[in-house]
Amino acid sequence: QVQLVESGGGLVQAGGSLRLSCAASGSTWSINAMGWYRQAPGKQRELVATITHYGSTNYADSVKGRFTISRDNAKGMLYLHMNSLKPEDTAVYYCAAEGEHGYWGQGTQVTVSS
C-alpha cells in the first residue's frame, strides 16, 4: 500500500505562484508514474501533469509553460510548481501514484483570486 499526502495549497492572487508537495509513504518502491490531477466545482477531475520514475513529463495544454512537475524518488516526494496562476486554475489538486494499484491523496485546495 502507498499513502499520499498533499500540502501547499492556499489562496493566491492571479499571476502569483504556489508549490504543491506530495509525500508518499508505504510501499514507495512499487511506484512508477506519479501525477497531479485537479477537480473544479461542477467539473470532472482532469489531468494536470504526470512524470515517470525516470523523469519524463507530460502536461495538460492549459498548464504548459506555467506549471512544472518534479519528483525526488529518494525522498518519496512529488512537486508541482505553479506560476502565472489564473482564476481558472482554482480547484482541488490531487496527487496520484501508479504502483501495484492506483493511489490518490486526499487533495489540497488551490484558490486563485482575480
Side-chain angles (χ1 to χ4, degrees), residues 1 7 15 19 30 35 48-49 58 60-61 79 86 96 99 103-104:
Q1 292 291 323
S7 61
R19 188 185 79 161
S30 68
V48 176
N58 180 57
D61 288 343
Y79 304 101
K86 304 175 182 180
Y103 303 97
W104 292 91

Side-chain angles (χ1 to χ4, degrees), residues 20 23 33-34 37 48 54 80 98 100 106 111-112 114:
L20 304 183
M34 299 186 76
Y37 292 74
V48 176
Y54 298 102
L80 185 68
E98 176 187 272
E100 294 180 318
Q106 82 289 350
T111 303
V112 184
S114 57

Side-chain angles (χ1 to χ4, degrees), residues 23-92:
S25 61
S27 301
T28 57
W29 55 268
S30 68
I31 295 175
N32 296 313
M34 299 186 76
W36 290 97
Y37 292 74
R38 66 187 182 187
Q39 187 167 17
K43 295 187 177 181
Q44 290 188 331
R45 190 171 298 189
E46 63 176 5
L47 180 147
V48 176
T50 60
I51 185 168
T52 68
H53 180 81
Y54 298 102
S56 294
T57 59
N58 180 57
Y59 295 92
D61 288 343
S62 59
V63 306
K64 280 181 182 176
R66 300 189 298 122
F67 291 11
T68 302
I69 189 171
S70 61
R71 66 192 285 180
D72 185 331
N73 293 327
K75 295 182 179 179
M77 295 295 297
L78 177 71
Y79 304 101
L80 185 68
H81 296 259
M82 305 185 293
N83 297 319
S84 302
L85 282 160
K86 304 175 182 180
E88 50 264 44
D89 294 318
T90 295
V92 177

